[in-house]
Amino acid sequence: MENAVSYFHKVLSVSVIILLFLSGCASKIKTPNETTKKTDVSTKPEKENATYLKLKVGPSPLSPISSDFNDDGFTDIAAISHGDNNLVIFWGGPERTFRKGPVYGKDLVGYHPGKIVAVDWNGDGLQDIILAAEGLFQVQYWENTGTDFLKKATVQVPINCKGIRCADLDGDGILDIVLSPHQGHTILILWGKKGGFLFDSQTILANEMAQNVEIGDWNHDGKKDIFWVEVVPGSVVVAINKGNRKFSKYYLKSPGKPVGLAKDAPAYVKTADLNEDGCEDAAVTFEVLKEKGCIIFYGNCQGQVTSKEYIEAPVWGFRGLAVAVTQNMRSPLIALGEEGRIFVAHRVGTRWKLVEKPAGSLPRDISFADLDNDGNLDLLFSNTAGDSIGVLFGPLVTSGQN
């Protein structure tokens, strides 16, 4: 019996050694593909104190946006409750305060509103709201009166639109609207026409689950290009604006072979000059990618990717994403949403340093803005698995920025 126990202990010891060896090998093997540089980040992101404010919107809050809507010198916030079918306004005030303003309900907004953007649609100097009404297959124009918003016009569209961006894509001085679906394979462009909320339409064929459309200038030619992610094949696309309402697709990340629902599940794409070489770059978060992090695609001002860099997510995988570059920053900023927290990445030397900030469940729809007018960037985001939007007041990092 003694010999049997001794033999068992020897086998157990050898097994543990083998497992430890294999674990060490696995950690060495877990690197991005050979064309992707893995960034040098701290193994434990630094935590810094932050003033965190929650504003209750309703179930499944989406798309918080900020602007001085009533022109009183304080920044206001608008957001969607996807669950309550509401558009909610918060009026900004002194000392980082926000009071709940008008709430526009389902009778006006409709079932399952998607996302919103703030633009001066009628040219009166006030920021209006354009709303992608996913459940109604509709885009809505909400005119800002200075004290209220009036739903002035709607247009029916052939997709269940959720992602939305506005820009003058054809240089005619009239804003256009770009839409991506909640589920589908069509990017829709609404070309603005004179005379009101009127449009010509154009579609760009995409792969399945084309989502979260973005606008940028990828090839540095002064014309606005269209970016989006394709969840199922795991691809990231830019439609390069060739002029005369023509586009040429270029894959930042080519489609893969789906495994189950999604292979890599890219979540958001945002653009900015992230290595300060004068060319636009694209940051993309991945929630199901093997590395579960953020890949930065560095551009060369000619519409091509020259190199890639990878920022690894500490635990769950990044989804929410925002980027910021301003003249008073020593380093560009990248906000990366992970379950229950947001990491602010900024460059220190040759590496990205992660600073951890508090957030609610599934922080998404992140944006940078100076919400309290103190000269420091703040963060605005949705706690999408809860009922609130969050505000993190800056400064967001205490080194490498100011």
Side-chain angles (χ1 to χ4, degrees):
M1 180 70 178
E2 231 174 49
N3 289 338
V5 171
S6 175
Y7 176 78
F8 173 77
H9 285 166
K10 287 179 181 178
V11 171
L12 182 61
S13 299
V14 171
S15 300
V16 169
I17 291 169
I18 292 172
L19 286 172
L20 288 173
F21 174 79
L22 291 175
S23 175
C25 288
S27 65
K28 292 177 183 177
I29 291 170
K30 186 182 179 183
T31 58
N33 62 59
E34 60 185 8
T35 62
T36 305
K37 174 186 174 184
K38 187 170 183 178
T39 194
D40 178 18
V41 296
S42 303
T43 53
K44 291 185 178 180
E46 178 182 343
K47 290 187 179 182
E48 292 187 3
N49 294 328
T51 303
Y52 177 27
L53 175 66
K54 286 185 178 181
L55 301 172
K56 189 172 181 179
V57 172
S60 300
L62 294 176
S63 195
I65 58 174
S66 60
S67 180
D68 184 2
F69 289 116
N70 57 0
D71 200 27
D72 64 353
F74 296 104
T75 302
D76 312 305
I77 296 172
I80 289 291
S81 169
H82 190 67
D84 278 347
N85 309 299
N86 291 338
L87 169 62
V88 184
I89 310 297
F90 294 91
W91 301 120
E95 299 180 357
R96 297 179 170 178
T97 58
F98 292 91
R99 61 181 178 85
K100 201 165 190 176
V103 177
Y104 306 97
K106 185 178 179 180
D107 55 329
L108 288 171
V109 175
Y111 176 68
H112 272 187
K115 295 187 179 181
I116 53 177
V117 291
V119 294
D120 183 5
W121 189 265
N122 58 0
D124 65 354
L126 295 174
Q127 294 288 293
D128 308 303
I129 291 175
I130 309 298
L131 185 152
E134 175 196 334
L136 297 180
F137 286 66
Q138 185 182 88
V139 179
Q140 303 173 358
Y141 164 39
W142 291 73
E143 186 179 75
N144 184 354
T145 69
T147 58
D148 203 353
F149 288 88
L150 299 177
K151 184 180 174 183
K152 294 288 287 187
T154 64
V155 59
Q156 294 300 128
V157 294
I159 64 172
N160 54 344
C161 53
K162 189 172 184 180
I164 181 170
R165 286 291 181 264
C166 291
D168 181 4
L169 296 174
D170 55 1
D172 64 355
I174 303 173
L175 285 171
D176 310 304
I177 299 175
V178 184
L179 301 163
S180 56
H182 170 56
Q183 288 185 334
H185 50 77
T186 299
I187 301 298
L188 180 65
I189 304 172
L190 299 179
W191 297 103
K193 299 165 64 175
K194 290 182 179 179
F197 205 61
L198 303 171
F199 305 92
D200 293 322
S201 66
Q202 178 180 347
T203 59
I204 301 176
L205 186 64
N207 286 304
E208 194 61 36
M209 292 187 72
Q211 295 183 354
N212 293 325
V213 69
E214 192 55 70
I215 299 293
D217 184 4
W218 180 243
N219 58 347
H220 204 64
D221 64 353
K223 295 188 284 288
K224 298 296 184 182
D225 307 312
I226 303 171
F227 297 74
W228 67 87
V229 299
E230 298 174 339
V231 178
V232 169
S235 41
V236 184
V237 188
V238 53
I240 297 175
N241 189 343
K242 310 299 286 186
N244 297 317
R245 299 186 176 182
K246 295 180 180 179
F247 294 86
S248 174
K249 285 198 294 186
Y250 174 79
Y251 284 93
L252 303 181
K253 183 179 182 299
S254 298
K257 294 180 180 180
V259 178
L261 175 63
K263 181 177 184 289
D264 292 335
Y268 288 86
V269 54
K270 302 290 180 181
T271 65
D273 180 6
L274 296 173
N275 59 355
E276 300 172 284
D277 66 350
C279 299
E280 189 165 83
D281 311 306
V284 183
T285 48
F286 293 83
E287 197 172 27
V288 187
L289 181 73
K290 180 181 178 182
E291 290 87 8
K292 293 184 179 178
C294 173
I295 294 180
I296 302 171
F297 298 86
Y298 290 109
N300 64 355
C301 287
Q302 297 175 18
Q304 298 170 334
V305 173
T306 58
S307 62
K308 293 180 275 186
E309 189 171 12
Y310 172 67
I311 302 176
E312 185 175 5
V315 181
W316 302 108
F318 295 135
R319 186 168 177 84
L321 172 67
V323 295
V325 178
T326 64
Q327 291 182 346
N328 67 342
M329 294 191 305
R330 294 179 186 173
S331 165
L333 299 180
I334 305 175
L336 299 161
E338 196 180 47
E339 170 55 31
R341 55 193 176 174
I342 291 175
F343 295 95
V344 178
H346 64 117
R347 275 208 178 275
V348 178
T350 59
R351 67 191 182 97
W352 288 98
K353 179 180 179 183
L354 297 181
V355 180
E356 183 179 340
K357 302 290 184 180
S361 186
L362 298 184
R364 298 174 184 173
D365 296 342
I366 306 172
S367 62
F368 287 98
D370 184 2
L371 298 171
D372 53 1
N373 301 315
D374 68 348
N376 293 305
L377 285 178
D378 311 308
L379 276 177
L380 178 63
F381 55 93
S382 291
N383 296 311
T384 57
D387 62 2
S388 68
I389 58 174
V391 177
L392 285 168
F393 290 106
L396 298 169
V397 295
T398 56
S399 60
Q401 178 183 3
N402 298 319

